[in-house]
Amino acid sequence: MWYLCVFYHRLLDYRKPEVESLADLFGAFEDKRRPGNRVLQWRLPQHHHPDSPFYFVDLPSEDVAENVANRSILVKGIYELWGEGGSYEELEEAVKSYPDERKLPYLGSESTFKITVDSFGKVMSLLEQNERIRGLSYIPFKGRVNLKNPDHNFWLMETDDTATNNGLPPVAQRRIFFGREVGGADRKLLPTYQLKSRNYLGPTAMDAEMAFLMANQAQAAPGKLVYDPFVGTGSILVSAAHFGAMTMGADIDIRVVRDGRGPDCNVWSNFKQYGLPMPIALLRADNNLPPWRPGLKEVFDAIICDPPYGVRAGGRKSGGRKLLKGVIGPYTVPDDKRADHIPSTAPYSLAECVHDLLDLAARMLVIGGRLVFFYPMSREEDLCEDHFPEHPCFELVATSEQILSSRYSRVLLTMVKTSSYTEELALAAWMKHLEFKENHSKWLEEGNNLHSSVFSPADVHHSGDSKLSKESKPKYRGKYV
């Protein structure tokens, strides 16, 4: 059945992938063995721009629609559409022609209801809203009005036209929708989990909204085990724990996972702050030298992380310069110094980090498990699968871009494990890694530096007639959304 899905006008690339991941979580797709088949049908309302917050989506049942809407972060609401039109006369005709057997169960005298008037692209006064509600008198509501806790919520939504250039996606003509709310996002959890009120923070703590989106992409849910190999202060695991998942994390910096800023200000205290189940373990571990015993496989249901790619923090691996150069040999820390010992580390390149992450996920994820992580991209490159890291055990199911500067963006990659890990596949993955590493080295030799490109003005690096001077994505009210 087709429903009207209304999004919040932000993080435009993340909207559809989030809904499709949640639809898969709640059983919208019958064939669980084919990740590529887990794509919903979408269509735009008449005269709407692709960046419009209004979309029609085909979902198998109202239960799936309700669960998706209530769990989502970016869905404002999903509605059973009773009618739409370019004018209120057309809307009235459409609502009257909607089947009575679909309308009458929600109009009875034993139920309560509420009508909300909303608009996109303009502001309507309270007087205008009341006038539009009175204009719905042709709908035979028999129940009582209840504004606080109604049985049924009805929405009248109106979009502006391009006559008013207000910096929002263009709509060629005014469009009006009327429908019954099936479900809607609870955005109240964002101020609850906002970083400025978080007990323990670090420079790379993931924003609460993005952390919840990543957890939704990974389909975090009760009974699932979620792992973050770059856990830091635990922001991503906090979001996964909110949705009921068991969590586990690791970080190379023992001071972060063991000490924090004291007994009452550490990763554990972040979970305690929100009354969430504690992680089953926090490890001091190196992603380049994983701590798992040989033969251990398929433990985690999801791996979610933000790998260090040199913007806010550079990657580190165990070893130190002298050890890696062979100046000194491997050594064992004496027992009396273990408590305060901080292992030496060396730089960890992006190419090596991504390869190790994919290898870890190929070994440790269950079949059908999800790997969700950020990957940096130059905006000179087209957003296509050829530029992303690959592994024969995985299928890439979603990409969502977030622009960091005029030259660079980061892309949230969602991969699903489709094959068991074998030595043959590991060898094929290594060959792909060598090719990826060679391309990455050429990119560095050309003088590119991700950190300076993100934080420096574009005109420092490029002339005005460069390809990058053309906006590949529109700004709305002066901002990328």
Side-chain angles (χ1 to χ4, degrees):
M1 179 175 176
W2 288 93
Y3 293 89
L4 176 65
C5 180
V6 181
F7 293 103
Y8 288 99
H9 187 60
R10 54 180 294 101
L11 299 172
L12 305 186
D13 272 3
Y14 292 75
R15 302 181 304 182
K16 289 182 182 178
E18 185 197 24
V19 171
E20 289 177 345
S21 293
L22 293 177
D24 182 32
L25 174 63
F26 293 117
F29 306 107
E30 294 181 359
D31 190 354
K32 295 292 183 181
R33 298 167 297 176
R34 300 284 302 278
N37 290 347
R38 303 176 201 177
V39 178
L40 297 173
Q41 287 185 288
W42 300 85
R43 60 182 175 86
L44 275 168
Q46 192 176 4
H47 307 303
H48 275 236
H49 187 274
D51 288 344
S52 166
F54 295 87
Y55 269 88
F56 294 114
V57 60
D58 187 16
L59 293 170
S61 69
E62 185 168 315
D63 286 340
V64 171
E66 181 180 4
N67 289 331
V68 169
N70 292 343
R71 166 79 180 253
S72 170
I73 300 299
L74 295 178
V75 172
K76 189 174 184 179
I78 293 181
Y79 308 91
E80 178 194 0
L81 190 66
W82 286 15
E84 64 170 314
S87 65
Y88 279 93
E89 290 75 18
E90 291 182 14
L91 177 67
E92 179 177 350
E93 183 178 347
V95 172
K96 287 181 176 179
S97 62
Y98 193 68
D100 286 342
E101 61 269 19
R102 298 289 307 171
K103 293 186 294 187
L104 293 180
Y106 309 101
L107 303 177
S109 58
E110 68 284 353
S111 62
T112 59
F113 71 96
K114 173 186 175 182
I115 299 176
T116 302
V117 179
D118 196 13
S119 60
F120 181 74
K122 65 178 182 180
V123 176
M124 285 193 287
S125 67
L126 185 60
L127 179 62
E128 291 175 311
Q129 294 180 38
N130 289 333
E131 287 178 354
R132 283 160 171 74
I133 291 175
R134 285 193 292 270
L136 298 174
S137 58
Y138 55 85
I139 302 176
F141 291 105
K142 297 179 181 178
R144 294 178 294 105
V145 173
N146 185 333
L147 300 182
K148 290 186 177 181
N149 189 28
D151 296 325
H152 310 297
N153 278 303
F154 296 91
W155 286 71
L156 178 67
M157 293 163 282
E158 184 176 327
T159 63
D160 203 3
D161 54 34
T162 53
T164 306
N165 186 3
N166 55 10
L168 293 173
V171 180
Q173 295 180 12
R174 184 176 70 166
R175 204 73 187 161
I176 308 163
F177 307 92
F178 180 81
R180 177 181 63 86
E181 181 185 282
V182 173
D186 180 13
R187 298 278 290 188
K188 293 179 182 178
L189 64 87
L190 296 184
T192 300
Y193 286 91
Q194 61 186 337
L195 292 184
K196 66 181 181 181
S197 62
R198 189 74 55 85
N199 188 12
Y200 178 46
L201 279 181
T204 58
M206 182 64 65
D207 169 71
E209 182 178 39
M210 191 61 67
F212 280 114
L213 281 172
M214 296 174 77
N216 280 342
Q217 285 294 103
Q219 300 179 344
K224 292 189 174 184
L225 178 58
V226 175
Y227 179 64
D228 182 356
F230 308 99
V231 67
T233 57
S235 296
I236 293 174
L237 293 189
V238 164
S239 66
H242 171 83
F243 292 128
M246 297 177 289
T247 58
M248 182 176 177
D251 202 282
I252 195 170
D253 191 344
I254 193 171
R255 295 166 295 184
V256 173
V257 294
R258 183 188 65 185
D259 305 326
R261 297 193 180 95
D264 298 320
C265 187
N266 50 44
V267 179
W268 305 96
S269 66
N270 283 343
F271 288 81
K272 184 178 180 181
Q273 178 181 355
Y274 302 113
L276 299 174
M278 295 293 176
I280 62 173
L282 292 176
L283 310 176
R284 188 279 171 189
D286 181 2
N287 197 47
N288 185 244
L289 296 170
W292 319 110
R293 61 176 171 80
L296 184 64
K297 292 183 180 179
E298 300 188 357
V299 174
F300 304 119
D301 296 284
I303 295 176
I304 319 173
C305 62
D306 182 23
Y309 42 81
V311 177
R312 291 181 292 178
R316 308 293 296 180
K317 64 180 180 179
S318 299
R321 290 188 297 272
K322 291 183 179 180
L323 184 62
L324 293 176
K325 290 180 179 179
V327 176
I328 61 174
Y331 58 91
T332 301
V333 180
D335 290 341
D336 60 331
K337 295 184 178 180
R338 283 179 179 271
D340 298 322
H341 178 69
I342 298 177
S344 58
T345 60
Y348 194 22
S349 70
L350 174 64
E352 193 175 9
C353 175
V354 170
H355 170 263
D356 291 341
L357 175 62
L358 288 171
D359 188 69
L360 166 73
R363 290 175 182 269
M364 302 300 287
L365 279 177
V366 300
I367 296 293
R370 292 196 163 210
L371 170 62
V372 179
F373 68 102
F374 274 113
Y375 179 74
M377 286 282 292
S378 167
R379 295 193 66 208
E380 285 183 314
E381 303 175 79
D382 295 327
L383 196 66
C384 65
E385 294 186 14
D386 294 341
H387 297 137
F388 299 137
E390 299 177 73
H391 195 286
C393 287
F394 289 94
E395 181 174 338
L396 182 66
V397 296
T399 61
S400 306
E401 184 182 20
Q402 182 183 27
I403 296 172
L404 298 176
S405 76
S406 59
R407 293 189 64 210
Y408 286 88
S409 61
R410 64 178 183 176
V411 181
L412 185 66
L413 302 181
T414 302
M415 297 180 171
V416 175
K417 184 176 176 181
T418 56
S419 303
S420 296
Y421 186 88
T422 63
E423 294 303 322
E424 292 78 11
L425 290 180
L427 179 60
W430 177 251
M431 301 305 295
K432 288 181 179 293
H433 163 65
L434 293 179
E435 181 182 352
F436 175 77
K437 185 177 181 179
E438 181 181 358
N439 293 334
H440 183 68
S441 298
K442 289 179 180 178
W443 180 78
L444 291 175
E445 289 171 1
E446 293 171 359
N448 293 289
N449 180 280
L450 188 61
H451 184 279
S452 61
S453 298
V454 168
F455 292 106
S456 301
D459 57 1
V460 172
H461 304 278
H462 293 275
S463 59
D465 59 350
S466 73
K467 179 181 177 181
L468 289 174
S469 63
K470 300 177 182 179
E471 295 290 349
S472 61
K473 288 198 171 189
K475 290 183 179 180
Y476 296 113
R477 292 179 175 169
K479 297 180 180 179
Y480 295 112
V481 295

